[in-house]
Amino acid sequence: PAAATSEEDSAQREAERLRRATQTRDKQQVQELTDRMRGYADELGPIVDRVGRTLPPERENAIGPLAEPGEVAGWIRTARSAHEFFAESVSGETGTNVARGAFASAVDALVQMTETYRLALDQPGVREQLFERVRGQRDVALRAWETGTVQLDAINIAVGFGHQHVATLGAGGRPPDSLPEGTGATDG
């Protein structure tokens, strides 16, 4: 009986050690993802805003001023650079994986959007059709990004950091809610 109790105690200590290690890893992943996405919001938001000058979201068929090819090449580099962060599949807790997946989908759609925009500049004969693709890719990117921001806020609360907001892309970059940063923080 004493050996069984000792084995049970040992198993419980190991389970607790693993639980703490998982919590620590998840907190680190949440913090890294939050910091990275805040930076990407600052880098990618202006691209979405500039595409919005050409393709105003509120005017479905309107085409405004075109960006210069060199500007579009810069967008492509920026979007591809952000995309590289998601190349390595990092597994975490489910909520963290969902947030990361949503942001990865958003960035992938932004890469496609910038590349399609470049094609539209290069092929004036089908520009209108290509710009319709750009609109759709932008919309997919914005929906996925918004999903990521809400999920990221939720997982920050779950790990004890409280509300942590990453702005939506474009049009002033609003947070997913109006609560102050850190509201609801705990010791995790």
Side-chain angles (χ1 to χ4, degrees):
T5 301
S6 176
E7 285 180 29
E8 284 178 24
D9 289 345
S10 177
Q12 287 177 351
R13 282 192 304 276
E14 179 63 9
E16 180 59 25
R17 184 191 70 75
L18 290 172
R19 186 186 67 75
R20 282 192 310 271
T22 299
Q23 285 177 332
T24 299
R25 183 196 72 204
D26 194 43
K27 282 183 94 159
Q28 290 169 343
Q29 286 181 343
V30 168
Q31 182 67 57
E32 177 190 9
L33 187 60
T34 302
D35 292 345
R36 186 69 69 133
M37 294 306 100
R38 284 179 173 149
Y40 288 154
D42 291 342
E43 293 173 19
L44 299 170
I47 297 170
V48 172
D49 285 339
R50 180 56 185 90
V51 169
R53 286 183 55 214
T54 302
L55 304 169
E58 66 281 355
R59 295 182 21 225
E60 191 173 312
N61 295 317
I63 296 178
L66 302 180
E68 293 296 322
E71 183 180 8
V72 176
W75 299 348
I76 292 169
R77 283 190 302 276
T78 299
R80 284 180 181 170
S81 176
H83 192 262
E84 288 174 18
F85 173 73
F86 298 102
E88 180 184 344
S89 179
V90 177
S91 184
E93 295 296 313
T94 301
T96 306
N97 292 343
V98 169
R100 186 180 175 86
F103 284 118
S105 294
V107 171
D108 185 53
L110 289 172
V111 169
Q112 293 176 36
M113 177 194 76
T114 59
E115 291 173 348
T116 305
Y117 193 110
R118 179 182 56 197
L119 287 173
L121 292 181
D122 292 344
Q123 299 179 27
V126 291
R127 183 171 291 153
E128 191 173 314
Q129 295 88 340
L130 289 169
F131 275 152
E132 283 307 306
R133 294 277 306 158
V134 170
R135 282 182 202 277
Q137 291 160 338
R138 175 191 58 201
D139 294 347
V140 166
L142 295 179
R143 283 192 304 272
W145 189 273
E146 187 173 318
T147 298
T149 66
V150 171
Q151 181 64 22
L152 192 61
D153 192 32
I155 62 176
N156 269 283
I157 294 166
V159 299
F161 295 140
H163 285 269
Q164 299 295 317
H165 303 119
V166 170
T168 56
L169 295 178
R174 298 172 317 279
D177 62 50
S178 61
L179 293 169
E181 295 286 306
T183 301
T186 65
D187 291 333

